[in-house]
Structures are given as C-alpha cells and as structure tokens.
Amino acid sequence: MAHPGVLLSFEGGEGSGKTTQARRLTDHLKGLGYAVTLTREPGGTPLGERIREVLLGRNDELSPLEEFLLFSTARAQLVRTVIRPALEASHIVVVDRYYHSSYAYQGGGGALSMDYMQAVTAGIVGDCALDLVLLLDVEPHTGLSRCSYAGGKDGTASDRFEGKGVEFHRKVRDAFISCAQAEPERFAVIDASESIEDVFARVRDAALEVLRARGLQPSSK
Ligand code: TMP
C-alpha cells in the first residue's frame, strides 16, 4: 500500500445529490472519530477554484480536449497539495468528483479518447488510487429537473455542462455505468432517485465496508 489513507470519490450526473451525500458521509465519519478531508473537483485549491469559474462559466468556448486539460491541471494541483498529503496523514479523503467525471463528460459526452485521458490521468494521480467510487445514478431528466428547480448552481443560471441538453447527459450516464462495469470491485452504484435518507444508508454501508476491509481505525479511539 503506497499510503495509509483511504480515498473515496462521489460521481454522478447533474442533480444526483453527490454534494449533499459527500457532506453527510464526511460528518458521519467524523462523528465516528475518523480524520476526514472533504474536497471537490474542479476546485479544492485556490487555482482549482479559479479554473472552476472558467470551466463552469459560459463565456469561453472550449473543446472537450481543452476542458480535459483544464480539469487535469486543477486535478494535478489538488492531488499534489491536498489529496496526497491527507492520504499520507492516514486521513479518509472524500472527493466530490474525480477523474471518472472526465471519462464520463469529456469522454462519454465529448467523445475524447479514453486511452489518451487514462494515460494523462495515470501520470496525475500516481499512487493516489481510489478505494471506492460511490456512483449516484439518476436518470438525466430527473437530475436536470432537480437542478432547474434549484435555479442552477449558487442560485445562478445553469452552467456550461447543465446547459448541454439531455442527449449529452444520457451519454455521460452511460459512460459512468461503463466505468463501473469495467471495475465492479471499485464501484458502488447507488440509485439516486431514492430519498436522501435511503441513498445515505447505501452510501454509509458501502463506505464502512471499505474502511473495515482496509482496517482503518478512528484516530480518536
Ligand atoms: P458540480 O461540482 O456541481 O458537479 O459541477 C462540476 C461540473 O463539471 C459538472 O457539470 C461536471 C463537470 N466536470 C467535467 O465535465 N469533467 C470533470 O473532470 C469534472 C471533475 C467535472
């Protein structure tokens, strides 16, 4: 094992409830006495948050390759300055989106080469391999209607990716499912159309099973 920590990611389409579930899981694990670092992509560092503004804003036209390279720059800095140090300090790291979002959005939605993205990503993540991907699966119509009901992110109009239409989001969903089928031992696919409580119960159980398997003990016990 390259580091003593545990790395969990949340993935899913728009309106799948990842951010809510990532926060709940973080609070739950902290309550059990674990040291937890919660972060997000794109973002999580000052540069990452600036890149997030460019990526989610609708001012600049970007090709899937250009999007991927910007996400990758933010990812490289997040791994180097946040994720790897936390894993080396035996933390559980919860990341709200990680590289499977590139595979789904830029690969599935944008038709960028998977081989190319996997090669770049391998160089970025190095030994910060995922222990578990919590894929919150929701039918795009349902997810997108949750976003518009909320008035878009931060109460603003919909962002670059929300605005791409339901066909794009179907391809994103299919690509996430393909990622899960390719590595079933690393993924928990959870039906995100259920209530927040029901989804959380599945999330919690899947995460605790991985912690047990890895033998990670709460730091305060
Ligand atoms: P979110 O944090 O609200 O989910 O918004 C991030 C958006 O960025 C979301 O629409 C998915 C998209 N995204 C990609 O297209 N590729 C990526 O690699 C990542 C991390 C996010």
Side-chain angles (χ1 to χ4, degrees):
M1 196 63 56
H3 56 73
V6 171
L7 180 55
L8 313 176
S9 70
F10 278 86
E11 296 285 4
E14 310 301 316
S16 58
K18 290 174 297 83
T19 304
T20 303
Q21 295 291 340
R23 288 194 186 127
R24 280 197 69 161
L25 182 64
T26 299
D27 291 345
H28 183 77
L29 295 175
K30 283 184 176 170
L32 294 176
Y34 287 102
V36 188
T37 295
L38 171 65
T39 188
R40 70 168 179 177
E41 276 206 13
T45 67
L47 174 65
E49 292 296 335
R50 273 156 50 207
I51 291 177
R52 180 182 180 91
E53 278 175 34
V54 173
L55 277 162
L56 298 198
R58 302 182 82 162
N59 293 336
D60 307 282
E61 202 191 308
L62 296 172
S63 71
L65 174 63
E66 291 155 5
E67 289 169 6
F68 175 69
L69 293 173
L70 284 168
F71 281 117
S72 294
T73 301
R75 182 167 301 137
Q77 198 176 64
L78 186 71
V79 169
R80 178 173 64 81
T81 65
V82 177
I83 295 179
R84 181 168 294 114
L87 291 173
E88 286 171 352
S90 301
H91 281 215
I92 299 169
V93 178
V94 177
V95 53
D96 183 351
R97 295 197 186 278
Y98 199 33
Y99 56 84
H100 290 104
S101 280
S102 291
Y103 299 170
Y105 282 78
Q106 282 65 53
L112 190 59
S113 154
M114 261 331 159
D115 288 348
Y116 169 69
M117 285 190 291
Q118 283 170 349
V120 173
T121 301
I124 292 172
V125 305
D127 59 0
C128 296
L130 282 158
D131 293 283
L132 176 66
V133 182
L134 293 144
L135 174 56
L136 303 191
D137 179 51
V138 68
E139 205 282 318
H141 258 305
T142 310
L144 287 166
S145 66
R146 286 178 181 168
C147 297
S148 47
Y149 178 74
K153 306 260 154 52
D154 307 324
T156 57
S158 75
D159 65 35
R160 177 188 306 277
F161 297 100
E162 281 174 20
K164 279 188 188 283
V166 82
E167 275 319 307
F168 175 89
H169 290 284
R170 278 196 216 296
K171 292 183 194 158
V172 168
R173 184 192 192 194
D174 290 347
F176 273 132
I177 296 289
S178 298
C179 290
Q181 286 168 344
E183 288 188 290
E185 65 295 339
R186 210 191 283 276
F187 276 73
V189 182
I190 295 171
D191 179 356
S193 64
E194 304 288 333
S195 71
I196 291 178
E197 287 307 322
D198 288 348
V199 173
F200 181 65
R202 301 269 330 269
V203 162
R204 183 199 56 213
D205 291 352
L208 291 180
E209 194 182 316
V210 165
L211 297 186
R212 264 194 301 277
R214 284 286 312 274
L216 195 75
Q217 298 299 325
S219 51
S220 65
K221 289 190 180 155

